[in-house]
Amino acid sequence: MIIELEVNGKPVVWECAPGAFLTEVLRQRGLTGTKRGCESGECGACSVLLDGHEIPSCLVLAAQAAGHSVTTIEALGSFEAPHPLQRAFVEHTAIQCGYCTPGML
């Protein structure tokens, strides 16, 4: 199926399987900051913003995101210009292994 949505402020048109979860579709498109974790919506590693609201992308079909805005960790900041929240994580040693950090931020 073809879905149209906005990802990190840019309109995209993606082809995906009808039963594909948003986590997998994002990762397949190179947005690997969204991690696969528990796959039950508990750990937060797959968290993204859908129309400004935090959601576990492992529980949302990509088709359900069609027509909506998705924001991933990649939109927050960059290595060269980190977001203040990212800087605070580093400055206060909040990062452990980093796997679930995208969901926490």
Side-chain angles (χ1 to χ4, degrees):
M1 70 180 304
I2 303 294
I3 60 171
E4 296 181 35
L5 63 157
E6 182 180 289
V7 177
N8 296 335
K10 298 175 185 160
V12 297
V13 178
W14 288 342
E15 184 175 352
C16 63
F21 286 97
L22 186 55
T23 303
E24 289 307 309
V25 174
L26 290 169
R27 292 185 59 77
Q28 290 168 357
R29 302 309 187 282
L31 298 168
T32 57
T34 303
K35 306 290 191 228
R36 288 181 65 196
C38 66
E39 296 189 13
S40 64
E42 297 294 323
C43 74
C46 70
S47 294
V48 298
L49 298 179
L50 182 67
D51 294 336
H53 300 280
E54 184 272 331
I55 57 118
S57 63
C58 70
L59 299 180
V60 174
L61 295 174
Q64 292 174 292
H68 296 277
S69 173
V70 175
T71 305
T72 70
I73 187 69
E74 285 86 359
L76 191 57
S78 67
F79 184 78
E80 298 79 20
H83 185 275
L85 189 55
Q86 291 169 313
R87 278 198 302 272
F89 255 60
V90 173
E91 290 169 8
H92 297 283
T93 320
I95 297 173
Q96 294 178 21
C97 78
Y99 193 80
C100 63
T101 302
M104 287 189 269
L105 291 173

